[in-house]
Amino acid sequence: MKNLLVLIALAGGAYFYYINQAVEVNIDSYRALLNKVENEPVTSDEIKIGANLLTKAFCNDVTLQASGGGSVRACTDKYLAFKDMCEDRIFGKEKRSFTNKKEVTTLVKRFTACAGIS
């Protein structure tokens, strides 16, 4: 009887451990970042990744660059020149967590503006 209770307790604990495991979301696009913040907090490092991915996508959009009188190369050069400074200025060194989509989009917009992309 004792063994049965121990077995049930272990099985129950394993079940609760399994269902409470957070599924890690890989930030591989700006859209993935926005999807994640709708369901769970995102870190400043994840926002930084999403902001850089979005900025690169803007730079690599030939039509967008041509419509503004620029080029992919000029945009990429500007982005690379300002990337580190903008990351420090917008995100800082302190690790923070965000749960509000508006806060995330505001930070990303500030980053792209700092990098000269907007």
Side-chain angles (χ1 to χ4, degrees):
M1 184 67 165
K2 237 185 202 182
N3 291 339
L4 181 60
L5 291 175
V6 171
L7 184 60
I8 291 172
L10 286 174
Y15 173 76
F16 284 111
Y17 176 79
Y18 175 75
I19 64 169
N20 288 320
Q21 287 298 305
V23 176
E24 187 174 327
V25 177
N26 185 21
I27 304 300
D28 58 1
S29 68
Y30 179 61
R31 171 62 39 210
L33 173 69
L34 295 180
N35 288 340
K36 182 175 181 181
V37 76
E38 289 177 353
N39 299 308
E40 61 184 284
V42 294
T43 65
S44 51
D45 286 342
E46 290 172 318
I47 299 171
K48 191 185 305 183
I49 291 168
N52 277 291
L53 290 169
L54 181 64
T55 304
K56 289 176 190 176
F58 284 155
C59 280
N60 290 324
D61 187 330
V62 176
T63 305
L64 177 67
Q65 294 308 315
S67 71
S71 69
V72 169
R73 180 164 184 114
C75 182
T76 302
D77 289 346
K78 184 187 288 186
Y79 160 68
L80 292 174
F82 289 104
K83 177 183 177 286
D84 291 337
M85 180 197 67
C86 293
E87 284 180 355
D88 288 342
R89 183 178 290 169
I90 305 302
F91 302 108
K93 301 291 183 203
E94 182 181 331
K95 304 290 184 200
R96 297 174 24 207
S97 183
F98 298 86
T99 57
N100 185 306
K101 186 176 179 179
K102 185 173 170 53
E103 286 179 309
V104 171
T105 57
T106 298
L107 284 171
V108 172
K109 286 177 185 177
R110 286 180 55 209
F111 178 81
T112 58
C114 178
I117 307 304
S118 59

